[in-house]
Amino acid sequence: MVGQVASQLDPNRKRPLGMPATVVVTMAIVFGLMHISHVSAQSNPNFEVATIRPSKPDAQGKGFGARGRQFKTFNTSLADLISYAYGCHPKQLIGAPDWVNTEKYDITAQTDGEVPAGRQQLKVLWQNLIAQRFKLAFHHDKKELSVYVLRVAKTGPKLTKSEGDPNGLPTQGFRQFGALKVQNATMGEFANQILQNTVLDRPVVDQTGLAGRWDFALNWTPDDSQFASLGAKMPPSSDAADAPPNLFTAIQEQIGLKLESGRALTDVLVIDNVERPTDN
């Protein structure tokens, strides 16, 4: 599972260590990674040091990794970083220049002896880095957008209550495209980190009403509209009798939820200022 290996990044940035060559590096999208200890929270934490370099022009995929108090990204755009740090889809960024989506960076950042006490503190670390190094400033607004809505199906949820740390980070990762394992995740984290920012082409609104943290697996056959944010191209659908169903059917049959398309008034981030990163 990628969530188990993504804390070790190949120095050549081809794929996370331990991942088969046939599985593209684009799977290492999870911030809920292994080897993260919990410490007392700081109100406004900052990375002690951060290095930002342009990615290699021929780099494939993208990824995030963590080990102890060191955090890395490779081949990630500023839009990717904003999406994680603020829990939004790139389509919720309004007024951003083209380079925010197209220019890619490798980032190595390190805390000053402590590591994040939870996902929210980790997000604040990245928010502060983006503000300091990319001079990002924005304001919130509302706009009607095409979205997917995640709800509980009539059958009721088919999920297992997690026995993990209720204040801890989730582990969410893929063995391959369409083979997902989730541990210790809220429905919001599943909707936001996986469905919205990794798999689907539009924002996802969590309306399940399910509190707490959950463990589950999901297996489906992706179509060519999915994983586009990773630069991945899906193979043709299999005609095999034992091929997994499509995502919408799999979500309903396997975990008792349903994913529906629609339009909704959605929070957007209107960019007031952004600049290419300052020198290291």
Side-chain angles (χ1 to χ4, degrees):
M1 176 182 167
V2 173
Q4 295 174 321
V5 300
S7 60
Q8 298 179 347
L9 296 181
D10 188 322
N12 293 321
R13 294 183 290 278
K14 295 298 183 184
R15 65 180 188 274
L17 295 179
M19 179 165 296
T22 54
V23 179
V24 186
V25 63
T26 52
M27 299 287 79
I29 299 302
V30 187
F31 273 91
L33 303 172
M34 310 299 287
H35 310 305
I36 296 182
S37 303
H38 289 173
V39 298
S40 59
Q42 303 173 40
S43 60
N44 191 33
N46 287 279
F47 288 117
E48 179 182 33
V49 62
T51 301
I52 303 175
R53 294 188 174 90
S55 301
K56 292 182 178 180
D58 60 349
Q60 300 295 311
K62 64 182 176 183
F64 301 92
R67 181 163 51 191
R69 60 193 184 96
Q70 187 175 82
F71 300 82
K72 293 185 177 183
T73 82
F74 62 91
N75 207 37
T76 48
S77 68
L78 178 56
D80 295 327
L81 299 176
I82 296 172
S83 293
Y84 170 74
Y86 291 96
C88 65
H89 190 275
K91 290 185 178 179
Q92 291 170 269
L93 302 181
I94 306 299
D98 291 344
W99 66 265
V100 167
N101 290 283
T102 60
E103 295 186 7
K104 306 297 180 65
Y105 302 95
D106 299 342
I107 300 175
T108 300
Q110 186 167 298
T111 59
D112 60 352
E114 293 188 342
V115 294
R119 179 170 175 261
Q120 185 56 43
Q121 191 183 30
L122 180 56
K123 290 173 68 174
V124 172
L125 282 166
W126 286 99
Q127 290 172 10
N128 288 342
L129 183 143
I130 293 167
Q132 293 161 6
R133 300 295 297 276
F134 291 88
K135 308 302 182 187
L136 176 68
F138 64 88
H139 65 274
H140 291 272
D141 202 347
K142 295 285 186 179
K143 184 177 181 180
E144 188 177 76
L145 298 175
S146 295
V147 302
Y148 288 108
V149 179
L150 186 67
R151 297 188 175 98
V152 175
K154 291 182 179 179
T155 58
K158 302 175 183 179
L159 306 165
T160 301
K161 273 283 188 181
S162 179
E163 297 181 358
D165 182 352
N167 298 312
L169 296 169
T171 300
Q172 307 176 107
F174 294 85
R175 296 190 307 276
Q176 61 186 31
F177 290 114
L180 171 67
K181 186 173 182 180
V182 175
Q183 293 178 302
N184 200 40
T186 66
M187 282 296 98
E189 288 166 342
F190 169 55
N192 177 262
Q193 296 179 20
I194 295 297
L195 294 179
Q196 173 176 284
N197 289 345
T198 306
V199 178
L200 296 170
D201 60 351
R202 65 183 76 169
V204 176
V205 180
D206 171 29
Q207 292 186 0
T208 62
L210 296 174
R213 293 182 174 272
W214 307 90
D215 298 341
F216 58 92
L218 189 63
N219 294 279
W220 78 94
T221 299
D223 62 38
D224 57 10
S225 73
Q226 296 168 13
F227 296 100
S229 67
L230 308 182
K233 185 176 181 180
M234 296 298 100
S237 298
S238 172
D239 294 328
D242 60 349
N246 64 48
L247 175 63
F248 299 88
T249 300
I251 283 179
Q252 187 157 340
E253 292 180 347
Q254 297 171 21
I255 61 175
L257 306 179
K258 61 181 179 179
L259 193 63
E260 300 175 324
S261 62
R263 293 186 67 82
L265 194 62
T266 305
D267 186 60
V268 295
L269 276 59
V270 181
I271 305 302
D272 298 314
N273 185 77
V274 67
E275 300 174 15
R276 288 180 171 84
T278 56
D279 292 339
N280 296 309

